[in-house]
Amino acid sequence: GTKLNFGYQRNTQWMGAKVGKPEDTQFSIGFSRDVLEGAKLLNYGLDLDYMDQGGGRATVETRALPGWFNQMGGMAAFFYAHVDADNYTLRNPIATRIYADGQHQGVRANGWAAHDAGPWRTLFGTEVAHQTHTATRYGHNYGPSAVTGYWIPAVELMRASAWAEQTWRGAETTVQAGLRYDAVSMSAADLHKRGTSPVALFNSSAQELYDQYYGAGTDNDSVDHNVSGRVRAEHKLGGDALGFVDLARLVRSPDHAERYSGNGGPASMVEVGNPSLRPEVHYKTQVGSTVTGGGHRGYGRPSPAGAWRFEGSGWFDSIDDFVTIDTARGQSGVVATGGGQVYRNVDATLAGISAD
């Protein structure tokens, strides 16, 4: 029931180019930039005073090669984000004036080769990626440069991936199967940096917070070996109707915030990542159907006026080591009892239905 002023200014630029023919060799390149200013975030303690994010991507694909691998492609991409947030520019200042800045960068490159002949398509691919994430919190009521927390303590993420896919296309049925391996390494360089404010409560290092909330002796460097797999079958039901069954084992490593956040202070401001988090493992089953009409041509392709598409499905997801946000109260895996936001692994089951 509270009336709030809410708005922002946004400027977005995008440019791209594509040359070549899809059936032969095609090269594309694109860049984008998105600047958001003066964005008040409802139900959150900080607002986005300024955010500049963007990236670029270049791809090349060829589908007319001699030999068994008759198709190949590759991609190189980068992204960046710079964030300035505070709790006083867009709202009435409170006693504790907080400012935070974040820097995030990443690059990745991949390549693939495929054999596509008749009903069969076999594909192999690899990718490497590197990311860095840093965020620092300041208490401006203590001075212009008083650090009250290394929110993201200079996290570095490296990933190497390999995958294989097999597709069989029949007159009425298509079956796809895939297997993927990801090696994910994460570490943080500023774990032992302490705040510089005159209030000791804000000066804990990320490492001290991990020990306080999860117990001493936390291993902060992680290497995950994730194996995922998926099988999907589609069958034409007549007319423009299609039924599908999708079975998957999907593995996700915790992200930089879930593993390494290091915000101390009173319980209402605490956010402590958990370097000991295990990757999530999803066992997901989805069954559904898609119906189209009016000459609908599929996602991303222009369709004539009056075209339509409807999809409905039901899904069930059993998750080992789901990463959940929780409040510290001495529960399993947490030794602190005085509140504050923590992350921990739990087993979970999700199920639902959707219509689109």
Side-chain angles (χ1 to χ4, degrees):
T2 302
K3 184 177 180 179
L4 297 174
N5 294 321
F6 172 68
Y8 57 84
Q9 177 175 315
R10 189 168 205 161
N11 294 290
T12 302
Q13 300 91 36
W14 180 90
M15 63 177 296
K18 182 182 292 187
V19 296
K21 300 179 180 179
E23 65 275 11
D24 189 0
T25 299
Q26 193 169 62
F27 174 80
S28 65
I29 189 169
F31 302 93
S32 65
R33 184 185 182 212
D34 186 26
V35 176
L36 193 65
E37 296 181 80
K40 187 161 187 174
L41 304 181
L42 306 182
N43 302 316
Y44 195 66
L46 296 176
D47 300 317
L48 279 178
D49 187 41
Y50 180 82
M51 180 176 70
D52 182 352
Q53 62 181 344
R57 183 175 71 170
T59 64
V60 60
E61 296 183 1
T62 181
R63 301 179 181 273
L65 293 175
W68 195 81
F69 284 115
N70 51 16
Q71 299 178 357
M72 287 188 179
M75 181 197 71
F78 74 94
F79 77 88
Y80 74 91
H82 173 76
V83 179
D84 291 329
D86 64 49
N87 68 344
Y88 52 83
T89 300
L90 302 177
R91 62 181 76 187
N92 293 328
I94 60 176
T96 304
R97 295 192 305 138
I98 301 170
Y99 166 74
D101 69 66
Q103 300 284 347
H104 310 270
Q105 298 91 25
V107 294
R108 65 188 179 106
N110 66 39
W112 58 268
H115 171 74
D116 195 338
W120 295 98
R121 176 177 170 84
T122 304
L123 183 146
F124 299 95
T126 61
E127 181 172 277
V128 292
H130 180 268
Q131 299 177 16
T132 57
H133 303 273
T134 301
T136 306
R137 186 185 66 186
Y138 299 85
H140 274 185
N141 47 310
Y142 305 126
S145 58
V147 175
T148 59
Y150 289 92
W151 198 335
I152 305 296
V155 175
E156 181 181 35
L157 182 150
M158 293 183 287
R159 176 172 51 82
S161 308
W163 64 91
E165 301 174 7
Q166 182 69 64
T167 303
W168 177 79
R169 300 165 294 218
E172 304 291 333
T173 302
T174 299
V175 179
Q176 297 174 301
L179 190 65
R180 181 184 177 100
Y181 168 73
D182 295 286
V184 183
S185 171
M186 298 181 71
S187 62
D190 291 344
L191 292 173
H192 301 285
K193 281 190 173 182
R194 307 186 82 249
T196 59
S197 80
V199 180
L201 190 63
F202 288 115
N203 291 341
S204 296
S205 69
Q207 181 65 64
E208 289 170 334
L209 291 170
Y210 305 152
D211 293 343
Q212 176 185 345
Y213 279 81
Y214 305 110
T218 303
D219 184 5
N220 298 316
D221 295 336
S222 64
V223 178
D224 300 329
H225 300 279
N226 303 334
V227 178
S228 301
R230 184 181 181 190
V231 177
R232 179 182 175 93
E234 300 177 350
H235 183 74
K236 292 182 180 179
L237 302 177
D240 293 320
L242 180 77
F244 64 87
V245 177
D246 200 315
L247 308 174
R249 180 187 193 268
L250 306 172
V251 184
R252 181 189 76 89
S253 286
D255 65 24
H256 59 277
E258 293 165 337
R259 270 196 169 137
Y260 291 108
S261 291
N263 260 347
S268 61
M269 298 176 63
V270 167
E271 180 187 1
V272 184
N274 186 349
S276 298
L277 287 174
R278 298 178 296 276
E280 291 180 354
V281 183
H282 296 249
Y283 298 92
K284 187 174 182 179
T285 300
Q286 185 175 13
V287 179
S289 180
T290 301
V291 184
T292 60
H296 189 276
R297 300 184 62 194
Y299 177 78
R301 303 173 62 192
S303 299
W308 56 272
R309 175 185 179 275
F310 174 82
E311 179 176 318
S313 67
W315 50 269
F316 179 86
D317 191 1
S318 176
I319 310 168
D320 294 341
D321 292 323
F322 179 75
V323 176
T324 185
I325 299 173
D326 209 342
T327 300
R329 57 185 188 279
Q331 65 269 56
S332 176
V334 179
V335 299
T337 59
Q341 180 175 303
V342 295
Y343 296 86
R344 65 191 192 99
N345 290 115
V346 299
D347 292 337
T349 299
L350 304 177
I353 57 174
S354 63
D356 182 14

